[in-house]
Amino acid sequence: MKLFFVILICKLLKLIGGIVGRGSSLPGQIALKLYPDILSRLKLPKYIIAVTGSNGKTSTVEMIAAILQKNGKSVAYNKEGSNQIEGVTTLILGGCTLGGKMKSDILLIESDERYARYTFKYFAPTHYIMTNLYRDQLTRNGHPEWVYEALSHSIHDETQLILNADDPLISRFGAGRENTLWFGVDRLPTSVDHNDGIYNDGIYCPVCGGKMEYEYYHYNHIGSYHCEKCGFKRHKTDFTVTQADMEKGEIVINKDCKIPLAFTGMYNVYNILAAFAACSVVGLDGKAIAGSIGNYMLKNGRIVRFKLGRHDGTLLASKHENSVSYDQSLKYIASRREKCSVLVIVDAISRKYFTGETSWLWDINFEHLNCEHIENIYLSGTYVNDLALRFSFTDIPREKIKPVGDIRQCVDYISEHGDEKLYCVTCFSDKEKLLTKVEVL
Amino acid sequence: MTLKILHLYNDLMNLYGEYANISILERRLREQGFEVEVVKADSCADISFSDFDFIYIGSGTESAQKRALEDIMTKRDEFAAAAESGTVMLLTGNAFEMLGSSVTDGSGKSFNALGLCGFETTENSERRITGDAICTCRFVAGELVGFINKCSETKGVDEPLFTMIMGAGNSINDKNEGCRFKNVFGTHLIGPLLVKNPHFTKYMVELIARNIEGFSYKASALAYERGAYEVTLRELKKRLAQA
């Protein structure tokens, strides 16, 4: 009887919360207060797929859901990105009958990496996708090894892991787990033989601390590696990007599944690959998956097109406190080779908490923007001085760098000058400060 | 006149953009008319500490710090001799802990450290202490800003470096932070401390050049540095007032 009432309360709160705009986390929080182990009392679907890691969780989950739905499966997933236990509880109870049985074929969970151990205390995912571990929000997370430790407590023996073989730290989770599935990207024309980041988190072996050697890098510490000392190395892969033509915007998975890309960034390729792996394990055919995800445009606001004056603009939402995310956006802009300007805004470092910490700016390789086709680099927001100082340590010609602290003034200035393409690189915490001042397409 | 800087464990102890401390110091020293040579080393095996005018180590993961410690202990006496002779050194984040007598990890295993100072550090693998920081320093006018990101407590520091106005000190309920031993400075403030605090950097420059005949500090504008510092201090003070 208690189960019935708590589910009912949660559903009602979710309904009310949906109206007042606070429906994703609070209902679950209250349900957990009333019934702390409620998640262990439910009849969950045959497939419970969890996705975690530093970058790409929300996009990967969105793509898995889109593919599954296009192929006739019903999926419950946390699309608002409430990815701690409260949000997951709201999701699950919201999708249950009052008897505690989940109605959908598949439960798909985006999980925060640091708190996954609490979410998965009362039930185990059948499949657990781990995308990558980067320097991300270190003001909260400490460092990647600290997150690795926290994440290791969230893994159940009966869960099948689906791991990014190209990330050494993530790959450690596969040790001694026979049924693990692996995804990765083969050497591509865009692969490089050196780490093009400011720092190299792949330089030392995560197992023994010995020096690692890379056969190639895709970006930062993602690539094919082996440890000279203990033999730890990239695992062979079950789901593989075997070819990619970034000029054309097309990848091939497992040699025969061609997927045209709406967006050619390397991180998008990994997200699609992870989604491909997830959908394969629930029994979808590779060709069917490829057919459902070709040219897929993400709906989560990562990429927004806009007009500003005579400029065509693209916002590349990147994460503050996450140098890999920035590097990916910068490299994408560099790779486009079209006449353009770039606007970088650092105003509120986080939308969830306050910090004045700007160390992460020094970990971003802004040198990527040192290209002839980039005409101006506008810097704006509260931390404009930190940005300008950081740029003063690049070889980018000084006259290209234009710091204008006030975002309104900066946007007005850009609007009145030039007609080149404009890229804006900023975080979710700051993007509305731009988007409210431009014409969103 | 060439000044020699050693950035030790630059690819092992580099979690929070700490290389920028070297970049900014090099720039400041060049502005004063010096030539600067920066040596980066992932081990002290081929290093003679007494060759350098400034030695820097940044922060690393807990396991990286143990590996750095194992390496530096092979040259413990030479390091101590350089420190005793007045070489200027800065150790930020958990590199600071290496100056004490021991570091004990979350499992209770204890590691001998350099022992320049008598303090002891104990890590806790369940709890991380993080937060923005404002502090004062008795030999530099004006507050300093920074960030603490650690999982340890340090006890028994005789001569602390900073007094905390915001943020965690060496241990719980301790307002004192870091340590000073002669010209060796240790602090758990992470990241590009010298970028964020131009007045503290000026102090470092003066200290490094103190014995050079005819040296007198030439002031420079540092508009971005001052702007960045003032904005950060203003924003942090706003938070402090709200708390």
Side-chain angles (χ1 to χ4, degrees), chain B residues 8-24:
Chain B
L8 193 53
Y9 312 122
N10 64 300
D11 59 9
L12 179 66
M13 303 287 278
N14 70 351
L15 265 181
Y16 307 107
E18 269 118 347
Y19 74 92
N21 284 317
I22 303 297
S23 312
I24 202 92

mmCIF file of all heavy atoms in Angstrom, chain B residues 8-24:
data_model
loop_
_atom_site.group_PDB
_atom_site.id
_atom_site.type_symbol
_atom_site.label_atom_id
_atom_site.label_comp_id
_atom_site.label_asym_id
_atom_site.label_seq_id
_atom_site.Cartn_x
_atom_site.Cartn_y
_atom_site.Cartn_z
ATOM 1 N N LEU B 8 59.612 21.433 -11.946
ATOM 2 C CA LEU B 8 59.783 20.006 -11.674
ATOM 3 C C LEU B 8 58.427 19.284 -11.746
ATOM 4 O O LEU B 8 57.424 19.812 -11.267
ATOM 5 C CB LEU B 8 60.424 19.843 -10.290
ATOM 6 C CG LEU B 8 60.980 18.479 -9.890
ATOM 7 C CD1 LEU B 8 61.960 17.922 -10.923
ATOM 8 C CD2 LEU B 8 61.646 18.559 -8.520
ATOM 9 N N TYR B 9 58.431 18.085 -12.333
ATOM 10 C CA TYR B 9 57.218 17.266 -12.515
ATOM 11 C C TYR B 9 56.149 18.033 -13.294
ATOM 12 O O TYR B 9 54.969 18.009 -12.950
ATOM 13 C CB TYR B 9 56.674 16.776 -11.162
ATOM 14 C CG TYR B 9 57.738 16.179 -10.276
ATOM 15 C CD1 TYR B 9 57.996 16.676 -9.003
ATOM 16 C CD2 TYR B 9 58.527 15.127 -10.737
ATOM 17 C CE1 TYR B 9 58.991 16.147 -8.204
ATOM 18 C CE2 TYR B 9 59.535 14.592 -9.940
ATOM 19 C CZ TYR B 9 59.757 15.104 -8.682
ATOM 20 O OH TYR B 9 60.754 14.583 -7.897
ATOM 21 N N ASN B 10 56.576 18.724 -14.345
ATOM 22 C CA ASN B 10 55.653 19.586 -15.095
ATOM 23 C C ASN B 10 54.540 18.810 -15.779
ATOM 24 O O ASN B 10 53.469 19.360 -16.015
ATOM 25 C CB ASN B 10 56.422 20.404 -16.140
ATOM 26 C CG ASN B 10 57.059 19.512 -17.186
ATOM 27 O OD1 ASN B 10 57.882 18.664 -16.846
ATOM 28 N ND2 ASN B 10 56.677 19.663 -18.433
ATOM 29 N N ASP B 11 54.755 17.508 -16.085
ATOM 30 C CA ASP B 11 53.659 16.763 -16.718
ATOM 31 C C ASP B 11 52.997 15.763 -15.764
ATOM 32 O O ASP B 11 52.052 15.090 -16.132
ATOM 33 C CB ASP B 11 54.132 16.069 -18.015
ATOM 34 C CG ASP B 11 55.278 15.106 -17.767
ATOM 35 O OD1 ASP B 11 55.598 14.852 -16.589
ATOM 36 O OD2 ASP B 11 55.869 14.615 -18.752
ATOM 37 N N LEU B 12 53.482 15.693 -14.544
ATOM 38 C CA LEU B 12 52.878 14.787 -13.547
ATOM 39 C C LEU B 12 52.052 15.590 -12.536
ATOM 40 O O LEU B 12 50.959 15.191 -12.148
ATOM 41 C CB LEU B 12 54.003 14.022 -12.814
ATOM 42 C CG LEU B 12 53.602 13.046 -11.725
ATOM 43 C CD1 LEU B 12 52.827 11.863 -12.311
ATOM 44 C CD2 LEU B 12 54.839 12.516 -10.978
ATOM 45 N N MET B 13 52.603 16.720 -12.142
ATOM 46 C CA MET B 13 51.953 17.574 -11.138
ATOM 47 C C MET B 13 51.493 18.853 -11.845
ATOM 48 O O MET B 13 52.152 19.893 -11.774
ATOM 49 C CB MET B 13 52.944 17.901 -10.013
ATOM 50 C CG MET B 13 53.542 16.681 -9.319
ATOM 51 S SD MET B 13 52.368 15.845 -8.246
ATOM 52 C CE MET B 13 52.488 16.861 -6.768
ATOM 53 N N ASN B 14 50.379 18.737 -12.557
ATOM 54 C CA ASN B 14 49.955 19.862 -13.398
ATOM 55 C C ASN B 14 48.442 19.929 -13.528
ATOM 56 O O ASN B 14 47.913 20.276 -14.572
ATOM 57 C CB ASN B 14 50.585 19.749 -14.790
ATOM 58 C CG ASN B 14 49.979 18.587 -15.580
ATOM 59 O OD1 ASN B 14 49.220 17.784 -15.036
ATOM 60 N ND2 ASN B 14 50.277 18.507 -16.850
ATOM 61 N N LEU B 15 47.723 19.585 -12.468
ATOM 62 C CA LEU B 15 46.274 19.391 -12.584
ATOM 63 C C LEU B 15 45.485 20.648 -12.899
ATOM 64 O O LEU B 15 44.409 20.578 -13.459
ATOM 65 C CB LEU B 15 45.733 18.830 -11.260
ATOM 66 C CG LEU B 15 45.575 17.327 -11.151
ATOM 67 C CD1 LEU B 15 44.997 16.998 -9.779
ATOM 68 C CD2 LEU B 15 44.674 16.779 -12.250
ATOM 69 N N TYR B 16 45.960 21.794 -12.468
ATOM 70 C CA TYR B 16 45.104 22.979 -12.516
ATOM 71 C C TYR B 16 45.770 24.141 -13.257
ATOM 72 O O TYR B 16 45.774 25.270 -12.785
ATOM 73 C CB TYR B 16 44.706 23.383 -11.096
ATOM 74 C CG TYR B 16 44.100 22.255 -10.279
ATOM 75 C CD1 TYR B 16 44.808 21.641 -9.246
ATOM 76 C CD2 TYR B 16 42.812 21.790 -10.560
ATOM 77 C CE1 TYR B 16 44.251 20.606 -8.508
ATOM 78 C CE2 TYR B 16 42.253 20.747 -9.831
ATOM 79 C CZ TYR B 16 42.980 20.159 -8.802
ATOM 80 O OH TYR B 16 42.428 19.133 -8.084
ATOM 81 N N GLY B 17 46.309 23.858 -14.424
ATOM 82 C CA GLY B 17 46.901 24.927 -15.240
ATOM 83 C C GLY B 17 48.103 25.588 -14.603
ATOM 84 O O GLY B 17 48.414 26.749 -14.837
ATOM 85 N N GLU B 18 48.826 24.810 -13.782
ATOM 86 C CA GLU B 18 49.904 25.401 -12.985
ATOM 87 C C GLU B 18 51.119 25.873 -13.778
ATOM 88 O O GLU B 18 51.881 26.691 -13.301
ATOM 89 C CB GLU B 18 50.344 24.415 -11.905
ATOM 90 C CG GLU B 18 49.566 24.627 -10.626
ATOM 91 C CD GLU B 18 48.747 23.449 -10.202
ATOM 92 O OE1 GLU B 18 48.563 22.518 -10.996
ATOM 93 O OE2 GLU B 18 48.275 23.476 -9.065
ATOM 94 N N TYR B 19 51.282 25.347 -15.006
ATOM 95 C CA TYR B 19 52.410 25.801 -15.819
ATOM 96 C C TYR B 19 52.373 27.323 -15.990
ATOM 97 O O TYR B 19 53.390 27.967 -16.231
ATOM 98 C CB TYR B 19 52.401 25.115 -17.193
ATOM 99 C CG TYR B 19 51.334 25.662 -18.105
ATOM 100 C CD1 TYR B 19 51.633 26.703 -18.975
ATOM 101 C CD2 TYR B 19 50.022 25.190 -18.069
ATOM 102 C CE1 TYR B 19 50.657 27.246 -19.801
ATOM 103 C CE2 TYR B 19 49.039 25.733 -18.874
ATOM 104 C CZ TYR B 19 49.364 26.761 -19.737
ATOM 105 O OH TYR B 19 48.387 27.310 -20.526
ATOM 106 N N ALA B 20 51.156 27.906 -15.877
ATOM 107 C CA ALA B 20 51.009 29.350 -16.087
ATOM 108 C C ALA B 20 51.771 30.155 -15.030
ATOM 109 O O ALA B 20 52.142 31.309 -15.276
ATOM 110 C CB ALA B 20 49.535 29.734 -16.087
ATOM 111 N N ASN B 21 52.038 29.564 -13.876
ATOM 112 C CA ASN B 21 52.878 30.247 -12.882
ATOM 113 C C ASN B 21 54.267 30.519 -13.453
ATOM 114 O O ASN B 21 54.861 31.566 -13.200
ATOM 115 C CB ASN B 21 53.013 29.386 -11.615
ATOM 116 C CG ASN B 21 51.749 29.432 -10.771
ATOM 117 O OD1 ASN B 21 51.175 30.500 -10.579
ATOM 118 N ND2 ASN B 21 51.317 28.273 -10.288
ATOM 119 N N ILE B 22 54.763 29.550 -14.215
ATOM 120 C CA ILE B 22 56.084 29.702 -14.822
ATOM 121 C C ILE B 22 56.016 30.717 -15.964
ATOM 122 O O ILE B 22 56.883 31.584 -16.097
ATOM 123 C CB ILE B 22 56.592 28.331 -15.345
ATOM 124 C CG1 ILE B 22 56.634 27.302 -14.201
ATOM 125 C CG2 ILE B 22 57.937 28.468 -16.025
ATOM 126 C CD1 ILE B 22 57.586 27.640 -13.095
ATOM 127 N N SER B 23 54.944 30.605 -16.784
ATOM 128 C CA SER B 23 54.796 31.533 -17.923
ATOM 129 C C SER B 23 54.794 32.978 -17.445
ATOM 130 O O SER B 23 55.470 33.830 -18.006
ATOM 131 C CB SER B 23 53.489 31.266 -18.672
ATOM 132 O OG SER B 23 53.324 29.909 -18.940
ATOM 133 N N ILE B 24 54.026 33.251 -16.393
ATOM 134 C CA ILE B 24 53.883 34.637 -15.955
ATOM 135 C C ILE B 24 55.169 35.109 -15.264
ATOM 136 O O ILE B 24 55.599 36.247 -15.456
ATOM 137 C CB ILE B 24 52.639 34.808 -15.045
ATOM 138 C CG1 ILE B 24 52.161 36.265 -15.030
ATOM 139 C CG2 ILE B 24 52.883 34.352 -13.627
ATOM 140 C CD1 ILE B 24 51.144 36.605 -16.040
#
